Every structure is written in C-alpha cells, then in structure tokens.
Amino acid sequence: MSNKLTAKLPKGDSIKYWAEDDRPREKMLKRGNTALSDMELITILLQGGNGKKSAVDLAREIMTLGNNNLSQLGKLSVKDFQKIKGIGLAKSITLGAALELGRRRQLSEGILRKVVSSSKSAADILIPLMSDLVNERFCLLCLSASNALLHYEFVSSGGLSSTVVDVRVIMKTALQQMASKVIIAHNHPSGNLKPSSSDRAVTEKIKQAGSVLDIQLVDHIIIGDQQYLSFADEGLL
C-alpha cells in the first residue's frame, strides 16, 4: 500500500470510511488490476476484516508473514495463514487458492512455449513448478529431437536437503515418451544453487545411461528461490 494511503488513514480504520478512489475494489474498477499494490489485492481477497481488525490490518500482517515477498508468501500453507488472529479457515483457503492460481498461470505460460531450446526456456517451466517446494524433488523434462516438450514428471521426492534418484525410472519414463533428449532438474529449498558432489555424480550416471539408449542429457538445472543454475551453461556436463 502506498505511503500516501497509509498516512491518510489511522491503522484499523474500516475501508467504508476511505475516500472512494482509495478503496481497493473501486480503484481496481477505475484504474485496472495493475494499479493496486500486493497488499490491496490481498485486502480484496479477504472480503472484510473482523470485529477487531480491518481487512487492511489483516493484509498487512499477511504480507509481514511472507516477509513482504510474494515468492515467500507462496510457500506458506493454509495452516500458516491461520496463525494470524482474524484469519480463519475460509480466508486461509481463499489465499492459498489465489496463490496457487498465480503459480499455475506462470507454469502454463512456460509450457505454452513448448520448444525448450535453452536453459532459460527450461527454467520458465521449472521455476513455477519447483521454487515454492519445501522439500527436494526431482523433475524430468522429455523432449523430441526438435526440442519440443513431450512430457514433464516428478520422478522422486526427498527431504529438506536431498532426494534419491533412480536412474532406471528416468530412462523408463524417457523411453515411454519416445524422448530423444531429456532435461533433469531438482530444487534446493535452501536457495543455494551450488551443485553438491552427489548432484554431479547423479548427473554423470544419467548422462552415461542415456548415451547407451541414445537419449541425450541436455541439461541438469538446479532451482532455488526463483533462480536457477544450468550445468550446461556452467560447462559441467
């Protein structure tokens, strides 16, 4: 929310007392979606406060819970939102649904490109899928000879700092999809993109298995906090 709006209104004032141009719903109608701050959009989702807190107060606390960062907010669960007094199950579910829709939209835009010709185009698909995960998961992208995306699938999941990958499962999936090329990816929930020795080892195993079956390993991508590291770009393949 803008400093101007915050200065004009005492904390806790009901939206019904605001100037009409400052009310989030009216503002959206007159000026469009992009005119609203993140906090104002959350205020609309809440559809009102409770007896002790206004919707603005609750929205402010929600943003604080996510360190004023939508990426961090997207990692929170329904139960996390309910830790805020005044946020019950219904409001928590609404928030979770809205954040999931945003994630899926971002994912759809990446998949609609279909041709995966660079680490960036692969990351456009993988970041929405993996950035908000709280445990390590391993994802496989299957590509045609012309780099068209044929299929994507999570092939393993693990704990906070590691996941076990079965090379046979990866190759079986690639063969079932008639893939000529594959990209493997996993996330680092810590946000640290540096590959570990086990990351390097599993990359080599998958590369060797693929060469036997004439399936090219194009890249191994590590995802963390809306960023990525490409083994191919770094010369690690």
Side-chain angles (χ1 to χ4, degrees):
M1 188 171 293
S2 68
N3 291 333
K4 179 182 177 183
L5 183 56
T6 304
K8 285 170 63 178
L9 295 163
K11 183 178 178 182
D13 270 11
S14 172
I15 292 174
K16 67 183 179 181
Y17 298 117
W18 294 16
E20 186 172 321
D21 288 346
D22 286 332
R23 297 175 191 173
R25 291 180 184 178
E26 287 77 0
K27 188 175 178 180
M28 178 180 282
L29 286 172
K30 289 185 176 181
R31 298 171 56 187
N33 302 352
T34 57
L36 275 68
S37 67
D38 296 341
M39 190 184 297
E40 288 171 317
L41 291 169
I42 291 173
T43 300
I44 291 174
L45 289 172
L46 294 175
Q47 297 185 8
N50 58 16
K52 295 182 179 180
K53 299 177 183 177
S54 71
V56 179
D57 292 328
L58 294 174
R60 184 183 293 112
E61 290 188 45
I62 289 165
M63 289 299 297
T64 300
L65 189 65
N67 295 319
N68 294 305
N69 183 298
L70 288 181
S71 176
Q72 293 298 316
L73 205 62
K75 296 180 181 181
L76 301 180
S77 67
V78 168
K79 289 184 178 180
D80 289 326
F81 293 125
Q82 288 181 278
K83 293 175 183 176
I84 297 174
K85 289 184 180 180
I87 300 291
L89 182 60
K91 283 181 168 59
S92 297
I93 290 173
T94 298
L95 290 167
L99 290 164
E100 180 60 26
L101 278 173
R103 184 183 297 109
R104 292 187 185 187
R105 177 187 175 183
Q106 190 181 0
L107 175 59
S108 326
E109 289 171 349
I111 289 179
L112 284 173
R113 297 179 186 180
K114 294 190 177 179
V115 174
V116 183
S117 56
S118 66
S119 62
K120 174 64 169 59
S121 56
D124 286 342
I125 295 168
L126 294 163
I127 286 175
L129 274 174
M130 308 183 80
S131 274
D132 293 341
L133 298 176
V134 296
N135 62 329
E136 275 205 14
R137 299 190 70 182
F138 207 95
C139 187
L140 173 68
L141 303 183
C142 296
L143 310 178
S144 71
S146 57
N147 297 317
L149 178 63
L150 303 173
H151 178 74
Y152 74 88
E153 183 177 324
F154 284 107
V155 290
S156 75
S157 62
L160 294 175
S161 60
S162 65
T163 182
V164 177
V165 183
D166 190 331
V167 177
R168 293 170 298 181
V169 171
I170 290 173
M171 290 301 123
K172 178 182 177 182
T173 303
L175 288 169
Q176 288 173 335
Q177 299 299 323
M178 301 294 289
S180 297
K181 304 174 183 179
V182 294
I183 293 174
I184 55 175
H186 76 285
N187 62 308
H188 282 178
S190 67
N192 180 2
L193 297 177
K194 184 178 180 181
S196 66
S197 56
S198 60
D199 292 339
R200 294 170 183 263
V202 75
T203 302
E204 187 58 31
K205 285 176 66 177
I206 294 169
K207 181 179 178 180
Q208 290 179 6
S211 66
V212 172
L213 298 171
D214 200 22
I215 297 173
Q216 180 188 357
L217 175 61
V218 176
D219 206 346
H220 183 173
I221 295 177
I222 298 175
I223 303 292
D225 285 344
Q226 303 297 317
Q227 301 180 73
Y228 71 95
L229 177 140
S230 160
F231 273 54
D233 292 351
E234 298 294 322
L236 299 175
L237 277 183

